[in-house]
Amino acid sequence: MTLEASPGFILPIVKTSGAEATLLKIGQVAAECGVSVDTLRYYERLGLVPKPVRTASGYRLYDRRILERLSFIKRAQSFGFTLEEIKQLLQLPTAEPRTCAEVLQVIEHKLDDLDRRYEEIKRLRRELAAYKAECERALAGRKSCPVIEDFLHPSSRAAKPRRGRKRE
């Protein structure tokens, strides 16, 4: 068993009444999960959610299990997983021990990516702090903005080390 709908999966239409209806229209799903209707359609195109059954007039009808799947997607996104990574996770068999090893690889890759991004953010912060100091000095000396100059002509300042900038 996986979280992926099997090929040829057909959800029977069961007529029920009132609040106990087991099938939800796309707007109901969107409202319950806090996503837009367009997002649901996009997830369907990407294969993140199974294609819903349709009424004779073409309305999408979803089984309530879609809510759990969308919760999974949103939770994975909150940890920085891409939709492609989430799709891979959804396709893994849930009852097999090897699944955990595959999930571990995905997590290790994500941690490496986060470490790289963290280092890049630290570098950008150091450079922005140096720009801030330059702006403060320029304001005190009533000079033109060195940041604008640097953005316009980066090669003219590339060789000059900035004050406050940590050398790497």
Side-chain angles (χ1 to χ4, degrees):
M1 181 173 142
T2 69
L3 293 174
E4 188 66 28
S6 57
F9 174 75
I10 298 174
L11 185 64
I13 297 178
V14 179
K15 291 188 178 187
T16 58
S17 62
E20 294 183 12
T22 58
L23 298 178
L24 302 170
K25 291 182 182 174
I26 194 168
Q28 292 170 303
V29 173
E32 281 198 43
C33 291
V35 298
S36 70
V37 168
D38 288 336
T39 297
L40 282 173
R41 290 182 186 129
Y42 181 62
Y43 288 175
E44 184 182 326
R45 282 193 307 274
L46 292 179
L48 287 166
V49 297
K51 292 193 182 301
V53 295
R54 293 195 180 240
T55 64
S57 56
Y59 288 102
R60 290 171 167 88
L61 294 176
Y62 294 91
D63 182 275
R64 291 197 70 81
R65 291 175 291 184
I66 190 79
L67 303 175
E68 186 176 284
R69 188 178 191 91
L70 289 168
S71 176
F72 179 100
I73 292 168
K74 288 177 71 174
R75 179 98 167 118
Q77 283 180 312
S78 75
F79 280 95
F81 288 99
T82 65
L83 292 178
E84 184 57 39
E85 291 166 333
I86 294 168
K87 185 176 180 180
Q88 291 171 4
L89 291 173
L90 286 168
Q91 292 172 344
L92 294 172
T94 57
E96 292 187 26
R98 71 176 171 85
T99 296
C100 197
E102 292 179 45
V103 170
L104 178 60
Q105 285 182 328
V106 173
I107 289 172
E108 287 173 342
H109 175 73
K110 182 56 64 182
L111 285 171
D112 289 344
D113 183 49
L114 287 172
D115 288 343
R116 280 190 297 277
R117 289 174 38 205
Y118 178 65
E119 291 302 318
E120 176 66 10
I121 288 169
K122 288 192 325 188
R123 183 190 64 76
L124 289 172
R125 189 187 191 303
R126 283 191 305 271
E127 289 189 23
L128 283 173
Y131 278 142
K132 178 181 179 271
E134 288 183 37
C135 282
E136 289 168 343
R137 284 191 296 277
L139 280 171
R142 300 189 184 274
K143 297 179 182 176
S144 64
C145 182
V147 175
I148 299 297
E149 289 297 319
D150 189 36
F151 285 3
L152 287 172
H153 309 287
S155 61
S156 66
R157 296 178 47 113
K160 296 179 188 177
R162 293 184 187 97
R163 283 188 194 170
R165 183 176 176 190
K166 183 179 175 182
R167 294 198 176 155
E168 300 174 64

